[in-house]
Amino acid sequence: PDAASAGRRGLKNIALSYLMELDDKQSHALAQKQYDSADNMTDRIAALAALVNSNAPGKAKALARFYEDFSAEPLVIDKWFALQATARTADVAAIRKLAKHPAFTLKNPNRARSLIFSFCNGNPSAFHAADGSGYTFWAEQVIALNAGNPQVAARLARSLDRWRKYAPALQEKMRAALQRVAAASKLSRDVQEVISKALAN
């Protein structure tokens, strides 16, 4: 744990991420080898992220193994959820499936942020899908969170507060999602304020 070693790990893991853009057998094997032989979390997470963002055949097995190895470490499992939420291969269907995982609960703010916030704010290509499925999912989660944790719900609600800056086709779907939240019963004052301001702007 020193600066020089951290620098070498950082450089190595950036190089791995670049090589994984090839998404071929050789790069898959390199990432898998690093994952299997990693003796520190930095290298293991970097290798897992490389696998998750690829079409490597071993990525599902690596994800399952990582969960098994660290299921007793809440902060590490938060990273596990976040990695999948921000993966370039993720979509709303994948996030809905993850939200049904036994380790996931909206009652835990950190866990909610690791999956829901990471998807809505950290995966723009999937969240802003042309079919509007990301916005539908967002509206459902804001309403669900409002019931148990209004402050977290209000922070998530801000994901669409700049909806007018997007293309008209997306604006229409964003406005529909905002209106759905606005029409929900028993909205907290914080959520109601965010949503009403977004619709008014």
Side-chain angles (χ1 to χ4, degrees), residues 13-48:
N13 290 325
I14 288 174
L16 176 64
S17 71
Y18 289 166
L19 286 169
M20 285 297 281
E21 290 299 313
L22 295 170
D23 213 3
D24 59 10
K25 290 182 179 180
Q26 188 175 2
S27 60
H28 296 167
L30 187 64
Q32 188 67 56
K33 181 179 179 181
Q34 176 170 313
Y35 181 81
D36 292 337
S37 62
D39 61 2
N40 61 83
M41 186 58 72
T42 300
D43 284 350
R44 186 167 297 186
I45 282 283
L48 185 61

Side-chain angles (χ1 to χ4, degrees), residues 24 38 41 46 52 58 88 92 96 100 102 117 123 135 147 154 165:
D24 59 10
M41 186 58 72
V52 168
R88 67 181 63 176
V92 172
R96 288 189 185 281
K100 294 178 181 178
F117 281 66
N123 197 336
Y135 311 141
K165 294 191 175 184

Side-chain angles (χ1 to χ4, degrees), residues 120-143:
C120 294
N121 297 317
N123 197 336
S125 60
F127 179 58
H128 296 292
D131 63 0
S133 57
Y135 311 141
T136 299
F137 177 77
W138 166 87
E140 292 170 358
Q141 301 311 309
V142 172
I143 293 169

Side-chain angles (χ1 to χ4, degrees), residues 105-180:
T105 173
L106 284 176
K107 294 179 181 179
N108 181 329
N110 289 334
R111 197 54 49 88
R113 280 192 287 267
S114 67
L115 181 62
I116 309 302
F117 281 66
S118 293
F119 175 71
C120 294
N121 297 317
N123 197 336
S125 60
F127 179 58
H128 296 292
D131 63 0
S133 57
Y135 311 141
T136 299
F137 177 77
W138 166 87
E140 292 170 358
Q141 301 311 309
V142 172
I143 293 169
L145 280 165
N146 176 77
N149 198 326
Q151 291 181 333
V152 174
R155 286 198 291 274
L156 180 60
R158 292 190 179 94
S159 299
L160 292 190
D161 61 2
R162 297 185 179 182
W163 63 280
R164 291 187 186 275
K165 294 191 175 184
Y166 288 83
L170 290 179
Q171 284 185 26
E172 183 179 342
K173 293 177 174 64
M174 288 179 176
R175 182 171 53 241
L178 285 161
Q179 290 172 337
R180 178 178 177 181

